[in-house]
Amino acid sequence: MNAIDSRPSRTDAEEAVRTLLRWAGEDPDREGLRDTPERVIKSYDEFFCGYAEDPVDLLRRTFSEVEDYDEMVLLRDIRVESHCEHHMVPIIGVAHVAYLPRKRVVGISKLARVVDAYARRFQIQERLTAQIANTINEELQPYGVGVVIEASHQCMTTRGVHRPGVSMVTSRMLGTFRSNSDTRREFLSILNRPPMNSSGI
């Protein structure tokens, strides 16, 4: 039995929210908070929908009609919304995902969905970065994979040391992105270019 199958009922989860409200010094039965437990659990359905998704399955459909395309494929500035597993507060940032295809490519939306599938779980950024890169590498078997995540952690910006404006950067380089400095340099240089406008320029 996995964690999804053994999780508490929705009623149990809503009662846990009521307990936290009481612990914080509130009255969960007052008008403004009466529906808060239900709202929180509904938001958790969205925040943590990654547990119900299989990132591997997202990469199963690939395309081989690419006219021998063998240059880097890079999807940058993918919005990352996750939660710190240590304090259960948001991690917000962007992911940049690149791979060097061997013979097959995957739909670009699937790369973003793989990021979401892992991000929408309780995470630490280092593991999130590795999971995304490892999964793409294992399923697509490209020449190489590069993943960089830049994110702000509210466990650091709104509590503890209170350092707003600080971001954390993690990277995972596999295959040619690790062994070939030119490939790695090309990847990182593209990330430093200004974003294109709506006309593609």
Side-chain angles (χ1 to χ4, degrees):
M1 180 180 292
N2 61 38
I4 290 288
D5 294 332
S6 62
R7 66 182 180 178
S9 70
R10 203 172 192 85
T11 300
D12 291 337
E14 289 179 11
E15 187 53 42
V17 176
R18 290 174 60 84
T19 297
L20 286 173
L21 288 171
R22 286 195 297 270
W23 181 86
E26 268 290 359
D27 173 12
D29 291 317
R30 74 174 175 83
E31 184 180 8
L33 292 173
R34 204 170 294 146
D35 295 326
T36 294
E38 181 182 359
R39 293 189 191 103
V40 169
I41 299 311
K42 281 183 178 178
S43 68
Y44 266 43
D45 282 337
E46 186 175 344
F47 292 157
F48 304 110
C49 63
Y51 287 110
E53 282 206 86
D54 181 0
V56 171
D57 192 54
L58 294 171
L59 298 174
R60 291 247 161 90
R61 184 181 181 191
T62 58
F63 305 93
S64 58
E65 296 178 357
V66 294
E67 299 293 334
D68 296 322
Y69 182 85
D70 60 358
E71 298 295 332
M72 187 184 304
V73 176
L74 168 60
L75 192 63
R76 67 179 189 178
D77 299 322
I78 306 166
R79 172 82 169 176
V80 170
E81 298 176 1
S82 192
H83 282 75
C84 164
E85 67 179 32
H86 300 142
H87 301 96
M88 298 174 65
V89 294
I91 300 170
I92 304 295
V94 292
H96 315 289
V97 177
Y99 69 100
L100 201 58
R102 197 175 293 270
K103 288 186 177 179
R104 304 181 68 83
V105 297
V106 69
I108 58 173
S109 67
K110 299 301 190 295
L111 297 177
R113 289 185 63 189
V114 168
V115 172
D116 276 348
Y118 282 121
R120 290 185 177 274
R121 307 176 184 196
F122 286 111
Q123 279 288 7
I124 62 170
Q125 187 173 325
E126 297 91 336
R127 181 175 65 224
L128 173 61
T129 308
Q131 286 175 328
I132 295 166
N134 292 345
T135 299
I136 293 170
N137 191 56
E138 290 164 10
E139 293 308 309
L140 299 186
Q141 297 186 352
Y143 289 111
V145 177
V147 175
V148 172
I149 296 179
E150 308 168 69
S152 174
H153 294 240
Q154 288 194 14
C155 58
M156 182 177 178
T157 62
T158 63
R159 59 158 301 282
V161 295
H162 289 275
R163 291 293 185 271
V166 173
S167 63
M168 178 176 174
V169 180
T170 50
S171 66
R172 177 78 151 189
M173 305 291 174
L174 300 173
T176 53
F177 284 80
R178 177 180 287 270
S179 62
N180 188 315
S181 60
D182 289 338
T183 302
R184 186 168 58 253
R185 191 178 302 112
E186 179 186 359
F187 172 43
L188 297 175
S189 70
I190 293 173
L191 296 187
N192 289 325
R193 292 178 191 167
M196 292 188 298
N197 62 29
S198 59
S199 64
I201 299 173

